[in-house]
Amino acid sequence: MLEFRLPDLGEGLTEAELVSWAVSVGDPVELNQTIAEVETAKAQVVLPCPFSGQVTELLAAPGDTVAVGAPLIRVRSDRGAAAPSERRSVLVGYGPNEETTSRRTRKRSNPDVTVQDSPDITQQLPAPAYPDRPAATPGARALARELGINLAFVAGSGPGGAVTVEDVRHAVPVSAPVNRVRPEDEALPNAPRPSMPTVPTMRPDGGVIRPTPSSGETRVPVTGVRKRTAAAMLASARTIPQASAFVTTDFTASMELLDHLRTTDSFMGLTLTPLALVAKATLVAMAEFPGVNSFWDEENHEIVTKHYVHLGIAVATERGLLVPNVKDAHTLSLRELCREIGWLADISRAGSATPADLRGGTFTISNVGVFGVDVGVPLVNPGEGAILCLGSIRKQPWVYRDELAVRWVTTLGLSFDHRMIDGELGARFLATVASLLEDPLTLLGRI
C-alpha cells in the first residue's frame, strides 16, 4: 500500500487547503495523473500522483487544511507493495511530520501490516435516534456541522439514501420534509415546534452561503484566497506603520503617446493600457530612489534594499485579490512589460497562476481606476516597503499653459512603510513618477 503525502509547495508554506478530489475510492490512477486540487496562501495548484495503482482511501475532505507531509491518499500499487526501505520520495514534502489535517485526526497505517479494504461505513450506520434525522456517514455529519448545512435538505447518494461527504460538499437541495417533533417533546403541549430550515445555496467557487431567515443575514465561510488575503492585510495593518501621499497629474501626453504606440507594429496584437506606462515610469523613478524597493527585516533588525524589482500587479479575480508579479521588471521594455502584465492578469483570472507567479514581489501597483475610483489608500503587502495606487483617468478642467483646458487627469497614491521610507523620500519618488507621466518623452532620457 502506497501513501501520498502533501508535498512542499515552496516558499516555506506549511499547509494547504484541499479544494477538490479528481479521483474517488476504487478508481485506477496512472503515474502523474492529477488526483487533487489544493489552494495555498499563494495559489491554487493541482497535485499529480507519483505512482500508479488503485485508490483505496482518501484521507482528507474538501475544505480540510492539510499540513505539509500529512497523508492525503492511499493507493494499492499495481506492481505490488514495495518494502518500506525501498520507498523513495518522488516529491518534496515527505518526511516524519506527525501533523494531519487540522479538522480531524487519523490513525497512521503500519506499512508492514497488510491493509484490508474497509467495509462500507454506510452499512454500519446505527438507526437514527430520532425519526427526522437523515441517514449520513460520520464524515458527512462533521462537514455539515462545519458548513451549517441541514442534512434534511441534502439528497443522499450512498447506500439506502445515506448522505455522503460529497453530497454535503455539493449541498444539493431537495424538497423540504414535513416538520417533525421528537418523541420526548410530544408530551409538552407548549413545546416550540422547529421552524423550517433555510436551504443553503452555493457560491460560484463552491462555498456555501447560509441565509439566516430571522435576521436577514448571509454568512459565507472564510476560506481560500479570502482567508489568506485577510491574514496578509491584518499583518500589514498591525505590523507596518503606514503613511500615504497623493499627487494629481496631467495625463494627456501619456494618453496621446499610448494612442500612437497602439498603431505601431511593435505593439500589434498587444493590449497597451495606461497601467503598463505607469509601471514603466515607476520602474524608472525607482532607479533614482531605490529606497522604496526595500523591506523591513524585523527578525534581523535590518533594512533590506533589493537591487532587482519583481513588480506586483493587483488583479481582482472571482476567487479574490491576487498579486502576481513581473520578475525582473526593471530589465524589461515597455512592450515586454505590456505583454507580461497582460499574461499575468489572464492566468490569475483563469485560476492557473502558480505559486512562483505569486511569490517574491518587491513593490506593488494597484489599479483602482478601472472601477471608476479617483484614488485609493492601499495597504502595503507584508515583505514590501510601498505600494502605488493608480486612480481613474478622466477628462477634467485643468490649467494648461496658463489657460483653462479640458485634459486627461489622474491621481496617484503611494502608501509606504514609514519606518524606513521618510515622507521626503516617498514624496519625491511619487512626484517623479507623476512628472514622467506628465511628459512621457522624458522617459527616453532615463531608460
Side-chain angles (χ1 to χ4, degrees):
M1 192 69 62
L2 302 175
E3 191 175 77
F4 174 55
R5 302 183 181 187
L6 180 67
D8 183 355
L9 299 173
E11 203 177 74
L13 297 173
T14 59
E15 63 183 21
E17 181 178 312
L18 178 62
V19 176
S20 63
W21 284 108
V23 295
S24 302
V25 173
D27 287 352
V29 290
E30 301 294 335
L31 181 66
N32 292 327
Q33 176 183 334
T34 296
I35 57 173
E37 187 173 23
V38 297
E39 186 171 69
T40 71
K42 300 293 183 180
Q44 199 161 332
V45 297
V46 296
L47 296 179
C49 188
F51 29 69
S52 60
Q54 184 180 36
V55 178
T56 61
E57 192 174 359
L58 304 179
L59 302 176
D64 282 353
T65 299
V66 185
V68 168
L72 273 177
I73 187 174
R74 292 195 178 103
V75 175
R76 180 184 294 109
S77 174
D78 53 9
R79 298 182 181 178
S85 60
E86 297 174 353
R87 295 180 183 175
R88 295 183 179 274
S89 302
V90 295
L91 291 174
V92 291
Y94 290 80
N97 189 336
E98 293 300 320
E99 293 186 55
T100 57
T101 63
S102 63
R103 295 185 181 176
R104 63 194 69 190
T105 302
R106 301 182 184 274
K107 294 182 179 180
R108 300 287 299 277
S109 297
N110 187 334
D112 296 325
V113 177
T114 301
V115 179
Q116 297 179 347
D117 292 334
S118 300
D120 190 344
I121 188 65
T122 58
Q123 301 295 336
Q124 305 177 17
L125 294 174
Y130 305 107
D132 62 341
R133 187 183 188 193
T137 64
R141 294 193 188 282
L143 183 58
R145 281 195 299 271
E146 293 185 37
L147 299 179
I149 295 176
N150 189 330
L151 289 176
F153 288 83
V154 179
S157 62
V163 178
T164 66
V165 170
E166 194 67 14
D167 296 331
V168 175
R169 179 168 166 263
H170 288 92
V172 180
V174 298
S175 300
V178 178
N179 283 348
R180 296 174 181 157
V181 182
R182 296 180 298 177
E184 60 266 39
D185 291 338
E186 291 286 359
L188 303 176
N190 297 324
R193 295 303 190 256
S195 59
M196 183 63 67
T198 303
V199 178
T201 57
M202 302 296 293
R203 298 199 314 263
D205 61 359
V208 179
I209 301 176
R210 297 187 281 117
T212 305
S214 60
S215 63
E217 296 177 348
T218 298
R219 293 178 177 267
V220 180
V222 180
T223 60
V225 172
R226 177 61 53 203
K227 182 178 179 180
R228 317 300 186 213
T229 301
M233 294 300 95
L234 185 61
S236 174
R238 284 184 172 177
T239 63
I240 302 177
Q242 304 185 38
S244 299
F246 306 92
V247 62
T248 301
T249 186
D250 185 349
F251 205 79
T252 306
S254 287
M255 293 294 280
E256 293 172 349
L257 175 61
L258 292 171
D259 288 340
H260 171 70
L261 292 176
R262 292 186 185 108
T263 65
T264 64
D265 293 338
S266 296
F267 290 88
M268 194 68 66
L270 296 177
T271 303
L272 180 58
T273 65
L275 177 61
L277 189 59
V278 171
K280 189 60 181 178
T282 299
L283 293 166
V284 171
M286 199 175 293
E288 186 175 341
F289 303 98
V292 298
N293 193 42
S294 304
F295 79 95
W296 184 276
D297 186 345
E298 183 68 31
E299 183 177 353
N300 296 309
H301 302 286
E302 295 176 337
I303 296 174
V304 181
T305 300
K306 301 293 182 66
H307 301 296
Y308 57 88
V309 183
H310 292 345
L311 186 63
I313 304 295
V315 179
T317 74
E318 290 184 358
R319 296 166 50 221
L321 180 67
L322 296 179
V323 187
N325 60 82
V326 180
K327 307 300 183 187
D328 296 317
H330 61 293
T331 66
L332 304 182
S333 66
L334 178 60
R335 182 180 183 279
E336 292 168 330
L337 265 178
C338 177
R339 184 184 64 244
E340 289 297 308
I341 291 174
W343 177 73
L344 286 174
D346 288 343
I347 64 172
S348 296
R349 295 189 182 103
S352 55
T354 67
D357 298 321
L358 296 161
R359 65 180 176 231
T362 64
F363 186 95
T364 296
I365 297 179
S366 177
N367 183 11
V368 300
V370 295
F371 306 112
V373 176
D374 290 335
V375 71
V377 186
L379 295 179
V380 178
N381 288 321
E384 298 180 12
I387 179 172
L388 181 73
C389 182
L390 171 62
S392 62
I393 304 169
R394 61 183 66 182
K395 290 183 176 181
Q396 296 182 25
W398 190 263
V399 176
Y400 177 68
R401 295 179 178 175
D402 293 331
E403 292 185 359
L404 189 62
V406 176
R407 307 284 287 179
W408 289 102
V409 177
T410 190
T411 299
L412 303 172
L414 181 72
S415 295
F416 51 92
D417 188 337
H418 215 345
R419 292 175 297 183
M420 59 185 181
I421 299 178
D422 296 330
E424 179 190 5
L425 174 58
R428 292 177 63 191
F429 168 75
L430 185 61
T432 299
V433 174
S435 176
L436 292 171
L437 294 172
E438 188 167 338
D439 185 5
L441 295 181
T442 58
L443 285 169
L444 297 176
R446 303 196 188 191
I447 296 177

